[in-house]
Short mmCIF file of all heavy atoms in Angstrom, two decimals:
data_model
loop_
_atom_site.label_atom_id
_atom_site.label_comp_id
_atom_site.label_asym_id
_atom_site.label_seq_id
_atom_site.Cartn_x
_atom_site.Cartn_y
_atom_site.Cartn_z
N GLU A 14 -10.77 27.75 5.96
CA GLU A 14 -10.00 27.51 4.81
C GLU A 14 -10.72 26.79 3.71
O GLU A 14 -10.69 27.12 2.48
CB GLU A 14 -8.80 26.64 5.16
CG GLU A 14 -7.68 26.73 4.14
CD GLU A 14 -6.38 26.19 4.67
OE1 GLU A 14 -6.22 26.16 5.92
OE2 GLU A 14 -5.52 25.72 3.89
N ALA A 24 -15.37 32.11 -7.73
CA ALA A 24 -14.82 33.23 -8.35
C ALA A 24 -14.18 32.79 -9.68
O ALA A 24 -14.42 33.43 -10.71
CB ALA A 24 -13.87 33.98 -7.56
N ILE A 34 -18.15 33.07 -22.54
CA ILE A 34 -19.24 33.89 -23.30
C ILE A 34 -18.56 34.75 -24.38
O ILE A 34 -18.95 34.88 -25.51
CB ILE A 34 -20.05 34.63 -22.33
CG1 ILE A 34 -20.92 33.72 -21.53
CG2 ILE A 34 -20.91 35.68 -23.09
CD1 ILE A 34 -21.65 34.38 -20.30
N MET A 61 -45.60 51.54 -18.10
CA MET A 61 -46.86 52.07 -18.49
C MET A 61 -47.90 52.05 -17.39
O MET A 61 -48.51 53.06 -17.13
CB MET A 61 -47.37 51.19 -19.69
CG MET A 61 -48.62 51.68 -20.35
SD MET A 61 -48.97 50.64 -21.78
CE MET A 61 -49.62 49.18 -21.06
N GLY A 70 -53.76 58.65 -9.88
CA GLY A 70 -53.51 59.03 -8.52
C GLY A 70 -53.49 60.50 -8.23
O GLY A 70 -54.14 60.94 -7.31
N PHE A 81 -71.85 73.26 -17.11
CA PHE A 81 -72.17 73.75 -18.49
C PHE A 81 -73.39 74.63 -18.44
O PHE A 81 -74.45 74.26 -18.01
CB PHE A 81 -72.38 72.53 -19.38
CG PHE A 81 -71.10 71.78 -19.66
CD1 PHE A 81 -70.80 70.71 -18.67
CD2 PHE A 81 -70.30 71.92 -20.73
CE1 PHE A 81 -69.69 69.95 -18.87
CE2 PHE A 81 -69.19 71.18 -20.90
CZ PHE A 81 -68.81 70.18 -19.98
N LYS A 83 -76.32 77.14 -20.30
CA LYS A 83 -77.08 77.06 -21.52
C LYS A 83 -76.51 77.88 -22.66
O LYS A 83 -75.91 78.94 -22.26
CB LYS A 83 -78.50 77.42 -21.26
CG LYS A 83 -79.25 76.52 -20.39
CD LYS A 83 -80.69 76.80 -20.05
CE LYS A 83 -81.31 75.62 -19.31
NZ LYS A 83 -82.23 76.04 -18.24
N LYS A 92 -70.74 85.66 -15.58
CA LYS A 92 -69.82 86.27 -14.57
C LYS A 92 -70.56 86.45 -13.28
O LYS A 92 -70.03 86.14 -12.23
CB LYS A 92 -69.17 87.60 -15.10
CG LYS A 92 -67.90 87.29 -15.84
CD LYS A 92 -67.22 88.62 -16.24
CE LYS A 92 -65.99 88.39 -17.11
NZ LYS A 92 -65.77 89.47 -18.07
N GLU A 103 -69.72 75.82 0.16
CA GLU A 103 -69.11 74.62 -0.25
C GLU A 103 -68.01 74.74 -1.30
O GLU A 103 -67.34 73.73 -1.66
CB GLU A 103 -70.18 73.59 -0.78
CG GLU A 103 -71.28 73.29 0.15
CD GLU A 103 -72.51 74.05 -0.23
OE1 GLU A 103 -72.37 75.27 -0.39
OE2 GLU A 103 -73.59 73.48 -0.39
N ALA A 152 -69.23 61.48 -1.49
CA ALA A 152 -70.10 61.46 -2.78
C ALA A 152 -71.41 62.09 -2.56
O ALA A 152 -71.90 62.82 -3.44
CB ALA A 152 -70.20 59.96 -3.23
N MET A 175 -64.84 63.74 -11.71
CA MET A 175 -64.41 62.46 -11.02
C MET A 175 -64.80 61.27 -11.66
O MET A 175 -64.11 60.25 -11.63
CB MET A 175 -65.12 62.60 -9.57
CG MET A 175 -64.71 61.62 -8.56
SD MET A 175 -62.99 61.90 -8.13
CE MET A 175 -62.66 60.38 -7.18
N ARG A 180 -63.37 56.04 -14.03
CA ARG A 180 -63.26 55.15 -15.20
C ARG A 180 -61.74 54.83 -15.45
O ARG A 180 -61.36 53.73 -15.62
CB ARG A 180 -63.84 55.79 -16.39
CG ARG A 180 -65.31 55.68 -16.43
CD ARG A 180 -65.94 56.43 -17.55
NE ARG A 180 -67.34 56.52 -17.39
CZ ARG A 180 -68.11 57.42 -18.00
NH1 ARG A 180 -67.61 58.27 -18.81
NH2 ARG A 180 -69.39 57.47 -17.72
N ILE A 184 -59.97 51.30 -15.47
CA ILE A 184 -59.13 50.82 -16.61
C ILE A 184 -57.68 50.52 -16.23
O ILE A 184 -57.09 49.50 -16.60
CB ILE A 184 -59.11 51.88 -17.71
CG1 ILE A 184 -60.46 52.05 -18.32
CG2 ILE A 184 -58.05 51.63 -18.78
CD1 ILE A 184 -60.70 53.22 -19.33
N ASN A 217 -22.60 21.04 -26.57
CA ASN A 217 -21.24 21.26 -27.07
C ASN A 217 -20.13 20.82 -26.09
O ASN A 217 -19.02 20.45 -26.47
CB ASN A 217 -21.11 22.76 -27.27
CG ASN A 217 -21.84 23.28 -28.42
OD1 ASN A 217 -22.22 22.51 -29.29
ND2 ASN A 217 -22.14 24.61 -28.44
N ARG A 219 -20.43 18.31 -23.86
CA ARG A 219 -20.76 16.95 -23.28
C ARG A 219 -19.57 16.19 -22.96
O ARG A 219 -19.52 15.58 -21.84
CB ARG A 219 -21.55 16.23 -24.39
CG ARG A 219 -22.37 15.15 -23.88
CD ARG A 219 -22.94 14.30 -25.08
NE ARG A 219 -23.40 13.03 -24.59
CZ ARG A 219 -24.51 12.81 -24.04
NH1 ARG A 219 -25.38 13.91 -23.89
NH2 ARG A 219 -24.84 11.66 -23.55
N PHE A 234 -20.37 20.57 -9.10
CA PHE A 234 -19.13 21.16 -9.84
C PHE A 234 -19.48 21.20 -11.28
O PHE A 234 -19.16 22.18 -11.91
CB PHE A 234 -18.04 20.18 -9.54
CG PHE A 234 -16.75 20.61 -10.25
CD1 PHE A 234 -15.82 21.44 -9.60
CD2 PHE A 234 -16.42 20.22 -11.60
CE1 PHE A 234 -14.67 21.85 -10.18
CE2 PHE A 234 -15.31 20.62 -12.16
CZ PHE A 234 -14.44 21.46 -11.53
N GLN A 236 -22.25 21.49 -12.92
CA GLN A 236 -23.30 22.40 -13.43
C GLN A 236 -22.91 23.89 -13.12
O GLN A 236 -23.48 24.80 -13.70
CB GLN A 236 -24.65 22.07 -12.80
CG GLN A 236 -24.80 22.36 -11.33
CD GLN A 236 -26.16 21.90 -10.87
OE1 GLN A 236 -26.83 21.14 -11.50
NE2 GLN A 236 -26.67 22.51 -9.75
N LEU A 303 -32.27 30.63 -13.17
CA LEU A 303 -33.35 29.75 -13.05
C LEU A 303 -33.44 28.83 -14.37
O LEU A 303 -33.62 27.66 -14.31
CB LEU A 303 -34.66 30.40 -12.84
CG LEU A 303 -35.13 30.65 -11.44
CD1 LEU A 303 -36.42 31.40 -11.35
CD2 LEU A 303 -35.14 29.37 -10.78
N LEU A 309 -30.43 22.05 -16.53
CA LEU A 309 -29.41 21.21 -15.95
C LEU A 309 -30.01 20.11 -15.13
O LEU A 309 -29.49 18.95 -15.13
CB LEU A 309 -28.40 22.04 -15.13
CG LEU A 309 -27.55 23.02 -16.00
CD1 LEU A 309 -26.90 24.04 -15.14
CD2 LEU A 309 -26.49 22.28 -16.90
N ARG A 314 -28.60 14.73 -15.58
CA ARG A 314 -28.81 13.41 -15.14
C ARG A 314 -28.92 12.43 -16.27
O ARG A 314 -28.90 11.23 -16.10
CB ARG A 314 -30.01 13.36 -14.24
CG ARG A 314 -29.58 13.82 -12.79
CD ARG A 314 -30.76 14.41 -12.04
NE ARG A 314 -30.30 14.84 -10.75
CZ ARG A 314 -29.66 16.04 -10.57
NH1 ARG A 314 -29.38 16.81 -11.60
NH2 ARG A 314 -29.27 16.38 -9.41
#
Side-chain angles (χ1 to χ4, degrees):
Chain A
E14 199 165 335
I34 289 170
M61 184 174 78
F81 293 82
K83 290 180 176 143
K92 273 186 183 147
E103 303 98 313
M175 191 67 190
R180 283 177 193 158
I184 290 172
N217 290 339
R219 200 188 162 82
F234 180 90
Q236 71 182 20
L303 269 181
L309 291 166
R314 276 153 187 81

